[in-house]
Amino acid sequence: MPSSPCAPEEVRRVACVGAGVIGGGWVAHFLARGYDVTAWDPAPDAEEKLRRLVAAAWPALEQIGLADGASPDRLTVTATVAEAVADAQFVQESAPEKLELKRSLLAQLDAAAPPGVVIASSTSGYPMTDMQTEAADPGRLVVGHPFNPPYLIPLVEVVGGKRTDDAAVEWASRFYKVAGKSVITMERELPGFIANRLQEALWREALHMVANGEATVKEIDDSITEGPGLRWAFMGPCLTFALAGGDGGMGHMLDHFGPSLKSPWTRLEAPELDDTLRAAMVDGCDEAAGSRTIAQLVAERDQGVIDVLRATGRLPRQRTEGTDGIAHTPSTMGDEK
Ligand SMILES: NC(=O)C1=CN([C@@H]2O[C@H](COP(=O)(O)OP(=O)(O)OC[C@H]3O[C@@H](n4cnc5c(N)ncnc54)[C@H](O)[C@@H]3O)[C@@H](O)[C@H]2O)C=CC1
Ligand SMILES: C[N+](C)(C)CC(=O)CC(=O)[O-]
């Protein structure tokens, strides 16, 4: 791989390819961090949808603090994928989760992007080794797995494939940090990475319980928001369970509850996602949403995430008075730029 044309700190132009839920969220994030963003998506109504997503996200982004000069006006939606990446210093791919599509799109991006520019895929679970098979320069392809919405949830999991250069993984990890993200750089590939493997274990169990009539969608959601979810926002499952061992910590917790691990508390096989289970999940979520639209739920979620980030000290709690007499709420996320 030719070495990257610029240092992560020098990046000014980012391309986002695929502009749905996640690609659009990335666009909003990079705009808020003060980058010039080009975007391409083949859907006929993509530009209108993308600008709507950015406009809906902007109040939350203003609340957590915009970079100097950040503006939705710095978004250019291009007519072709080649135009989107022609001048880019970093490319984020967020096309549908279909392996063949990812393979050919990443090869197309590799052919069109300037030599050496790092290209990251938002894939939720494919190892890069499986996606980089058709690219002429697989060395610059990495996974950069975000969490929804990428403009508020800090984590990005970064990992390369067998043919990725270590330098590209390092460059991407540094770039995401500069761009305001919290990064886990994985040493080795693992389908689903770290967080989605954990989420999927919980998700499979939730689907089994609904399929078997053992719990409702509401009970499952309440069991997390009224229970472990409150702890997980600031203390992970391992340290949280260490406290379950009292003064004896994790050692006592394992001695005490270890034998229960052998009890059949979980079913690791995925349930059959048949029409009945699908309908039960959709109906349960419709009931939980009540009269709230998706747009209202997105705004509610965004405010909830901001409140949690503030409450856990990852964003300033108080608005501060600037020297210009104007109240600012600077973001502490991404203060490396
Ligand atoms: N939805 C989520 O919560 C998360 C999704 N991801 C990953 O992000 C990627 C995108 O997922 P979503 O945004 O949820 O899907 P989406 O369906 O909302 O958006 C996909 C977009 O890709 C466009 N598209 C279709 N063919 C394309 C092509 N050949 N080239 C470029 N764009 C194309 C579609 O028009 C659509 O706008 C997937 O790899 C997914 O696994 C990652 C983290 C979370
Ligand atoms: C549903 N999902 C598997 C696409 C979710 C993710 O990949 C990450 C997230 O946002 O939770």
Side-chain angles (χ1 to χ4, degrees):
M1 175 186 103
S3 59
S4 179
C6 72
E9 292 76 7
E10 292 164 357
V11 172
R12 295 290 168 266
R13 297 181 303 281
V14 171
C16 293
V17 173
V21 172
I22 288 302
W26 272 123
V27 168
H29 176 74
F30 289 126
L31 287 170
R33 303 303 310 178
Y35 294 97
D36 289 312
V37 180
T38 47
W40 177 78
D41 187 298
D45 56 350
E47 176 161 3
E48 182 210 323
K49 273 189 172 166
L50 172 58
R51 292 198 186 275
R52 215 180 321 133
L53 187 156
V54 171
W58 209 254
L61 291 164
E62 282 176 327
Q63 232 191 104
I64 65 174
L66 299 172
D68 285 346
S71 164
D73 296 342
R74 290 172 66 182
L75 168 63
T76 306
V77 179
T78 63
T80 65
V81 64
E83 282 172 80
V85 302
D87 224 9
Q89 295 164 305
F90 174 73
V91 179
Q92 183 79 39
E93 169 275 311
S94 309
E97 190 77 350
K98 294 183 184 150
L99 187 55
E100 284 309 323
L101 188 156
K102 296 273 195 201
R103 279 184 179 149
S104 67
L105 180 60
L106 288 172
Q108 207 182 344
L109 295 175
D110 174 43
V117 159
V118 172
I119 300 169
S121 173
S122 295
T123 181
S124 292
Y126 295 135
M128 181 46 82
T129 297
D130 295 348
M131 296 191 293
Q132 65 191 169
T133 50
E134 294 173 19
D137 179 8
R140 57 161 149 178
L141 302 180
V142 303
V143 166
H145 176 234
F147 290 78
N148 191 35
Y151 55 86
L152 289 180
I153 304 286
L155 183 60
V156 182
E157 293 169 309
V158 179
V159 61
K162 284 200 169 65
R163 299 171 69 201
T164 304
D165 290 337
D166 289 348
V169 174
E170 274 167 40
W171 191 98
S173 300
R174 176 77 196 148
F175 168 70
Y176 283 126
K177 282 182 194 154
V178 170
K181 307 301 291 185
S182 169
V183 177
I184 292 179
T185 307
M186 294 176 66
E187 295 283 321
R188 62 181 68 178
E189 289 191 284
L190 189 60
F193 321 119
I194 299 173
N196 271 358
R197 288 181 80 92
L198 294 168
Q199 291 203 105
E200 283 289 314
L202 189 135
W203 184 231
R204 272 194 297 268
E205 198 53 35
L207 292 176
H208 274 299
M209 286 192 274
V210 171
N212 294 341
E214 294 159 346
T216 64
V217 167
K218 179 168 172 17
E219 284 167 337
I220 286 167
D221 277 357
D222 287 352
S223 78
I224 296 300
T225 58
E226 297 296 309
L230 288 171
R231 304 185 298 222
W232 286 341
F234 56 90
M235 190 180 282
C238 302
L239 204 50
T240 296
F241 267 9
L243 302 187
D247 288 343
M250 180 53 89
H252 177 59
M253 143 73 192
L254 290 174
D255 297 341
H256 186 177
F257 299 104
S260 316
L261 290 172
K262 302 282 183 197
S263 309
W265 277 6
T266 55
R267 291 153 283 208
L268 290 178
E269 290 293 317
E272 196 55 44
L273 193 51
D274 58 19
D275 289 349
T276 311
L277 177 52
R278 189 181 184 284
M281 294 306 299
V282 171
D283 292 349
C285 287
D286 285 348
E287 203 179 311
S291 59
R292 293 169 295 177
T293 63
I294 292 285
Q296 285 168 332
L297 288 167
V298 165
E300 205 175 295
R301 178 210 52 200
D302 285 5
Q303 190 57 54
V305 174
I306 290 173
D307 291 347
V308 169
L309 289 170
R310 281 203 205 293
T312 54
R314 279 170 279 183
L315 281 173
R317 288 172 201 209
Q318 300 292 328
R319 290 175 73 83
T320 57
E321 200 72 18
T323 48
D324 51 6
I326 298 169
H328 298 281
T329 47
S331 168
T332 54
M333 300 193 298
D335 48 8
E336 299 197 29
K337 196 177 165 193

